[in-house]
Amino acid sequence: MKVSARNAEAFSATPPPDVRAVLVHGRDAGLIHERVKKLGHSVVADLKDPFQVSELSGSEVKSDPARLCDEAAAQSLMGGKRVVFVRLGGEDITPALTTLFDSEAPGSLVILEAGDLAASSAVRKFMEKQDQAAVIACYEDNNASLGNFIAEVGRDHAVSFSRDATDYLVAHLGSDRMVSRREIEKLILYAGEKPEISLEDAIAVIGDNGALSIEEIIYAAASGDRQVLETGLSRAASEGISPIALLRAAQRHFHRLQMAAAAVTQGKSPAEAVKSLRPPVLFLFTDRFQSQLRIWTAGRLDAALQILTEAELQCKSTGFPDRSIGERTLLRLAQVARAA
């Protein structure tokens, strides 16, 4: 059976007693590790205890199919169920799994850990059809799942995050669950004994303010603030921020303006349109974003996105200095905003 993304967390913490094997696979290696670890801890307290835990590779199981069933049937010297971890590559171990499910119920939970298995994978198809097996797919966090994960890690450490801090983390953390956990725990350590982590804490720790510097540059360009823009571009050059990164950040910003402008044409107020964006606009920029909606009409937004796309192509193909192309493009957009 397949376990839905919505139920995967609860299932991993407490799998049903009749489930004999679980396949955990996907693209997010960090999330796979989290799920596998949680499944193991649902059975045994110490995953390094050799009397309660066995580890096999996919190649070992494929070369000796009977070994999986033997390990699963082994009795723990401490009593209770055991865990058998199998780390798969691309091996087809369905013969061993068939023997496992044809045997009497073993005293072990078999946990298969794999990468991103295609729907045509023999192991994946086999496991999905078994009543006493489960398949958990682990893919990159979206905004909702990342927000829930942030809150969960906070609860584990008896701290909470302000709404602005959560919004900032959702916007600036990566898609790998293990990396996200490491960054959040680093932030919690930085905050010390504070019961709630603020936006200022998050900005101080996550990304070392580099992302915020880029945001300031893009907002200055879209608002027509040439002085702030020139200062920001000079700072970006000294910090080694890539011109391509600036152009892509500008593309994302103007796409978000386009989405908000479309919401306004459908009857929402500018404030409602901005509030509907995901990830949310940081409160530091909310007023400026709303002001930009009055500057950038649908036609201007289309033109701006075309200018940015052409600039990125020029950076990659013309041989001209990337920095000159990027700075000239952002200054051109600022001039359009000033003239509006």
Side-chain angles (χ1 to χ4, degrees):
M1 65 175 173
K2 296 181 183 179
V3 179
S4 68
R6 181 178 59 187
N7 296 327
E9 184 69 20
F11 184 98
S12 300
T14 313
D18 62 332
V19 169
R20 300 172 61 182
V22 183
L23 167 64
V24 187
H25 76 101
R27 291 190 298 267
D28 188 336
L31 184 54
I32 291 170
H33 178 76
E34 294 249 341
R35 297 277 190 250
V36 166
K37 186 176 179 181
K38 187 162 286 190
L39 282 163
H41 278 305
S42 73
V43 178
V44 300
D46 183 3
L47 297 182
K48 295 182 179 180
D49 185 342
F51 297 108
Q52 293 184 292
V53 178
S54 295
E55 296 188 17
L56 300 171
S57 67
S59 58
E60 287 175 324
V61 175
K62 185 175 181 179
S63 63
D64 184 5
R67 187 172 176 187
L68 177 62
C69 196
D70 291 342
E71 291 289 349
Q75 298 295 311
S76 169
L77 296 178
M78 308 298 293
K81 293 181 67 174
R82 298 174 67 253
V83 173
V84 179
F85 290 113
V86 180
R87 290 178 171 80
L88 288 175
E91 303 89 358
D92 178 4
I93 61 167
T94 51
L97 291 171
T98 300
T99 301
L100 174 71
F101 283 98
D102 286 343
S103 67
E104 294 183 3
S108 300
L109 175 65
V110 176
I111 303 172
L112 311 177
E113 179 179 350
D116 190 16
L117 299 179
S120 59
S121 162
V123 171
R124 178 176 167 182
K125 288 196 295 184
F126 178 88
M127 292 288 287
E128 288 175 349
K129 293 177 181 177
Q130 300 298 316
D131 293 334
Q132 292 183 309
V135 177
I136 301 175
C138 299
Y139 296 105
E140 295 86 349
D141 280 312
N142 56 31
N143 293 335
S145 63
L146 185 53
N148 291 336
F149 178 64
I150 291 166
E152 176 192 332
V153 177
R155 286 193 296 271
D156 290 343
H157 292 80
V159 299
S160 61
F161 296 82
S162 73
R163 180 173 179 178
D164 292 324
T166 299
D167 290 346
Y168 183 85
L169 291 172
V170 167
H172 293 94
L173 287 175
S175 57
D176 185 279
R177 178 64 69 91
M178 191 180 298
V179 175
S180 295
R181 176 180 287 277
R182 188 161 56 241
E183 290 297 300
I184 296 167
E185 290 179 342
K186 181 172 68 176
L187 173 56
I188 292 171
L189 182 63
Y190 168 86
E193 300 299 320
K194 294 173 65 174
E196 182 179 83
I197 293 174
S198 67
L199 173 63
E200 290 74 20
D201 296 326
I203 291 173
V205 174
I206 304 300
D208 199 25
N209 288 349
L212 199 61
S213 297
I214 293 176
E215 293 275 6
E216 289 285 4
I217 291 169
I218 303 309
Y219 271 87
S223 297
D225 193 335
R226 187 182 179 96
Q227 183 175 353
V228 173
L229 174 59
E230 290 179 344
T231 301
L233 289 172
S234 177
R235 178 181 175 187
S238 67
E239 294 178 353
I241 295 176
S242 164
I244 295 290
L246 290 174
L247 290 173
R248 289 180 177 172
Q251 289 175 32
R252 290 192 297 271
H253 182 78
F254 279 91
H255 273 302
R256 282 161 66 79
L257 280 171
Q258 199 173 51
M259 293 169 61
V264 170
T265 62
Q266 293 171 2
K268 288 187 177 181
S269 69
E272 291 171 334
V274 173
K275 192 174 182 180
S276 69
L277 293 174
R278 293 293 180 273
V281 176
L282 286 176
F283 85 97
L284 296 170
F285 301 113
T286 302
D287 291 342
R288 275 182 279 178
F289 197 99
Q290 290 186 36
S291 297
Q292 290 168 15
L293 284 176
R294 294 191 290 270
I295 296 172
W296 294 93
T297 61
R300 289 182 185 136
L301 286 168
D302 289 340
L305 287 166
Q306 182 64 33
I307 289 169
L308 289 164
T309 300
E310 291 173 355
E312 184 174 350
L313 288 173
Q314 289 173 12
C315 287
K316 296 176 178 178
S317 60
T318 63
F320 290 114
D322 292 358
R323 193 162 303 283
S324 296
I325 296 171
E327 291 180 356
R328 186 173 65 245
T329 300
L330 293 176
L331 288 166
R332 181 181 173 187
L333 293 176
Q335 185 60 39
V336 172
R338 285 176 64 85

